[in-house]
Amino acid sequence: MPVRIADDAAIDEAGRLIREGHLVAFPTETVYGLGADATNSRAVASIFEAKGRPRFNPLIVHVPHIAAAERIAVLTPAARRLAQSFWPGPLTLVLKRRPEAGLSDLVSAGLDTVAVRVPAQPVAQALLAAAKRPLAAPSANRSGRVSPTTALHVLEDLDGKAAMILDGGATRHGLESTVVDVADEAHVRLLRPGAIPRAALEALLGAPLLACESDDEMRPVSPGQLASHYAPRAALRLDAQDVRPGEALLSFGPNGPVAPGPSINLSPTGDLAEAAASLFAALRDLDRTGAETIAVVPIPDEGLGEAINDRLRRAAAPRPSSA
Ligand code: TXA
Ligand code: MG
């Protein structure tokens, strides 16, 4: 599967591949996505196959601007305010879908809503322009695994599964978009903490975001919220104050424990944005050392720390035996 530097020629060809129903992996400002024409059910079905993703887990549809979002979904007043402030950017809005818009039903996994986002990353924008289609794109990793923040990560997970990987360098935020369900104006819910911190959204809305209520694994409100997710091969031991024999260490800030073995500091100065940007690559790198367990020091739960801790808890959760 060709990895191509994302220049004009590669993006043009990628657009053609999308229109012909193929899969293209591409960078966004959050993580790499595995994209397909969201109006082509066969193409969308092949995303689920490539990732080994359960069909009940719906996909995000990427569009170039608010006007394109309005064509596929109904923006409530709160949605419009969020969109105007945070698009293009790492915010996904779950909205009522417009049945007449021609999106594949598979995108929504049978729900009457659709998750929509306008990416800021220039390669993602150029690909949307070249493809002239809304792009259904989950993170470009095998289902349940750590999301890719470089083209090489995509290759590690999905070699042979996409017609092309557009290489646009390491992603800026390193964490997935924040997902907010705003289909019902009276109940705006945070479905997934992400690259935009909760406080920024709440400040704009002037009200706290509601939590997502369902913990039922079979009927998740946002199916990406399954307990075990974003998992490296190694086990994770959270809130570690020390490092045990044989463990690798993931630390943060200037005062972590000293590790005799492999260790990575997400941000020696204690900067949460820097930590978010390097989290997934660090998990992959520590996994590659062969350590059976990765000890993770406590990370403050404020700002981007909420999303970082969410991913770490899921990476540490008991895994289905097949994973
Ligand atoms: O940053 C991102 O959001 C990346 C880049 C590629 O855009 N994409 C991404 O997609 O993380 P994915 O498929 O890995 O996660 C999408 C999340 C899942 O938790 C999914 O369950 C949720 O959005 N979701 C999608 N459609 C939904 C819907 N209609 N209702 C509720 N949750 C939905
Ligand atoms: Mg994902």
Side-chain angles (χ1 to χ4, degrees):
M1 149 166 79
V3 179
R4 297 272 301 272
I5 298 295
D7 57 17
D8 291 351
I11 290 169
D12 256 22
E13 190 177 335
R16 182 178 56 74
L17 288 167
I18 293 282
R19 281 196 304 281
E20 290 172 357
H22 299 287
L23 302 183
V24 171
F26 64 98
T28 79
E29 67 274 40
T30 58
V31 299
Y32 275 70
L34 182 63
D37 174 359
T39 65
N40 177 339
S41 286
R42 286 182 67 163
V44 175
S46 65
I47 292 180
F48 287 89
E49 271 155 44
K51 285 187 53 110
R53 179 174 176 119
R55 296 271 181 128
F56 61 74
N57 195 357
L59 306 176
I60 295 174
V61 177
H62 299 68
V63 293
H65 40 59
I66 296 188
E70 302 256 20
R71 287 201 282 274
I72 60 174
V74 180
L75 272 72
T76 54
R80 199 160 293 119
R81 275 197 299 169
L82 289 169
Q84 276 159 359
S85 300
F86 294 102
W87 282 354
L91 176 67
T92 295
L93 299 177
V94 172
L95 303 162
K96 283 268 179 291
R97 63 187 266 162
R98 293 190 193 275
E100 70 281 11
L103 290 184
S104 163
D105 283 337
L106 279 175
V107 160
S108 296
L111 303 169
D112 62 357
T113 53
V114 60
V116 186
R117 133 168 154 79
V118 175
Q121 215 276 5
V123 175
Q125 278 287 343
L127 179 61
L128 284 165
K132 305 186 188 71
R133 299 281 194 282
L135 285 179
S139 51
N141 51 280
R142 276 188 301 127
S143 185
R145 296 291 184 189
V146 176
S147 294
T149 57
T150 67
L152 188 61
H153 295 165
V154 179
L155 197 61
E156 280 168 13
D157 263 32
L158 294 177
D159 193 10
K161 308 277 191 189
M164 190 191 289
I165 300 176
L166 283 173
D167 186 348
T171 62
R172 170 162 172 224
H173 295 288
L175 278 181
E176 298 84 352
S177 61
T178 304
V179 182
V180 177
D181 181 349
V182 68
D184 171 4
E185 179 84 12
H187 298 95
V188 180
R189 296 180 302 169
L190 178 64
L191 299 185
R192 179 177 72 181
I196 295 184
R198 166 201 292 276
L201 301 170
E202 293 182 337
L204 184 97
L205 291 169
L209 291 164
L210 305 178
C212 108
E213 310 93 38
S214 172
D215 266 334
D216 180 345
E217 293 251 321
M218 295 320 292
R219 287 205 54 92
V221 176
S222 190
Q225 296 303 78
L226 295 174
S228 171
H229 212 80
Y230 311 104
R233 261 168 281 274
L236 258 67
R237 185 167 69 81
L238 301 184
D239 287 321
Q241 307 291 341
D242 57 5
V243 192
R244 298 174 188 163
E247 284 184 341
L249 173 67
L250 188 63
S251 65
F252 172 82
N255 304 316
V258 177
S263 82
I264 294 179
N265 194 324
L266 291 173
S267 170
T269 59
D271 179 85
L272 286 165
E274 183 185 23
S278 49
L279 176 66
F280 290 149
L283 287 173
R284 283 177 187 260
D285 288 347
L286 290 178
D287 223 10
R288 213 171 288 117
T289 68
E292 260 168 38
T293 303
I294 301 170
V296 186
V297 306
I299 292 178
D301 210 39
E302 73 231 14
L304 285 174
E306 182 181 6
I308 294 173
N309 284 319
D310 171 78
R311 303 304 188 273
L312 287 170
R313 273 195 302 279
R314 290 175 205 289
R319 310 196 182 146
S321 45
S322 62

